[in-house]
Amino acid sequence: MTAIPEIVHTLVLNAPIQKVWEAVSTAEGIAAWFMPNNFQAIEGHAFTIFSPFGDSPCVVKELDPPHRLVFSWGKDWVATFSLKELGDKTEFTLIHSGWTEGTVTETGDTHEVIRERMNQGWDSSVLPKLRAYVEQ
């Protein structure tokens, strides 16, 4: 099986790192710009993202406040949120990995199809919502 490139998006947010960290590492913050969930910032914590496509089981894999959060998502993926302080702004990088050619997701679609759909969603919908949420 051949790996498919990770989804990587980096943006500079006009908000201090602590505000962005709260937005990406609390259940309320994540729900405000991404999807409803029962996240807790505890390494090893199992949580659920309540997606319109079905509930996705997740586990917090790594936590380094306020710089890095890594969690497994569904059976195949890993989402990494990296934050870097730039004075009163924050550089936010999303890495959505775990894509493999020919692999079928829980929804029945291949990784190739879902990766393209999710890449577009991160870029055109989800990350702009994060920006609007933390820059208000």
Side-chain angles (χ1 to χ4, degrees):
M1 299 237 195
T2 305
I4 300 171
E6 300 170 332
I7 295 171
V8 179
H9 292 284
T10 299
L11 56 157
V12 175
L13 301 167
N14 190 18
I17 195 169
Q18 197 58 45
K19 185 173 185 180
V20 177
W21 180 250
E22 292 292 319
V24 303
S25 69
T26 64
E28 291 125 6
I30 295 167
W33 62 273
F34 188 37
M35 286 188 257
N37 64 89
N38 59 357
F39 177 87
Q40 288 183 27
I42 302 167
E43 205 164 296
H45 175 70
F47 67 102
T48 303
I49 292 175
F50 303 106
S51 158
F53 304 102
D55 294 351
S56 295
C58 302
V59 176
V60 178
K61 297 292 189 184
E62 201 178 314
L63 197 62
D64 179 19
H67 301 287
R68 186 172 166 86
L69 166 63
V70 180
F71 62 90
S72 63
W73 181 7
K75 67 180 182 69
D76 300 321
W77 303 317
V78 174
T80 302
F81 300 155
S82 293
L83 287 69
K84 182 178 172 186
E85 191 168 12
L86 302 174
D88 59 350
K89 296 182 183 193
T90 304
E91 180 182 273
F92 174 83
T93 300
L94 158 83
I95 302 170
H96 186 167
S97 61
W99 306 102
T100 307
E101 197 173 285
T103 300
V104 176
T105 68
E106 298 93 325
T107 64
D109 290 311
T110 64
H111 276 204
E112 293 90 338
V113 169
I114 297 294
R115 185 200 178 279
E116 186 56 33
R117 191 178 301 154
M118 288 198 157
N119 188 35
Q120 292 299 319
W122 283 116
D123 191 42
S124 65
S125 175
V126 179
L127 294 178
K129 286 181 188 172
L130 173 62
R131 179 183 299 282
Y133 181 68
V134 299
E135 291 184 354
Q136 63 184 350

